[in-house]
């Protein structure tokens, strides 16, 4: 199972229970943890993403 498949699986589980999908940030955290990143590295990646969006 790839990370993206795992995220889709988890998103479906969360949605079944809460009727809400995982946020982009939650998905990024999952990708980072699976990829072996620290919380600080995940945060830095998010800051880069946000600065590109604006």
């Amino acid at each position: 199972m790839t990370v993206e498949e795992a995220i889709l699986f988890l998103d479906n589980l969360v949605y079944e229970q809460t009727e809400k999908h995982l946020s982009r940030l939650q998905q990024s955290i999952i990708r980072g943890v699976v990829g072996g990143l620290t919380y600080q590295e995940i945060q830095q990646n998010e800051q880069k993403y946000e600065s590109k969006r604006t």
Side-chain angles (χ1 to χ4, degrees):
M1 178 180 287
T2 68
V3 173
E4 295 307 314
E5 290 170 334
I7 288 172
L8 183 59
F9 176 76
L10 292 169
D11 184 57
N12 287 330
L13 285 177
V14 169
Y15 186 79
E16 286 176 9
Q17 296 296 313
T18 66
E19 296 186 4
K20 295 180 182 180
H21 290 283
L22 292 173
S23 69
R24 192 191 54 74
L25 176 59
Q26 290 168 323
Q27 292 178 23
S28 293
I29 292 169
I30 294 168
R31 283 185 194 95
V33 169
V34 171
L37 299 178
T38 65
Y39 181 76
Q40 186 175 13
E41 291 168 326
I42 295 168
Q43 181 184 23
Q44 289 169 349
N45 288 344
E46 281 303 301
Q47 289 172 343
K48 289 177 190 175
Y49 176 82
E50 287 299 319
S51 67
K52 289 180 183 179
R53 283 186 59 208
T54 56

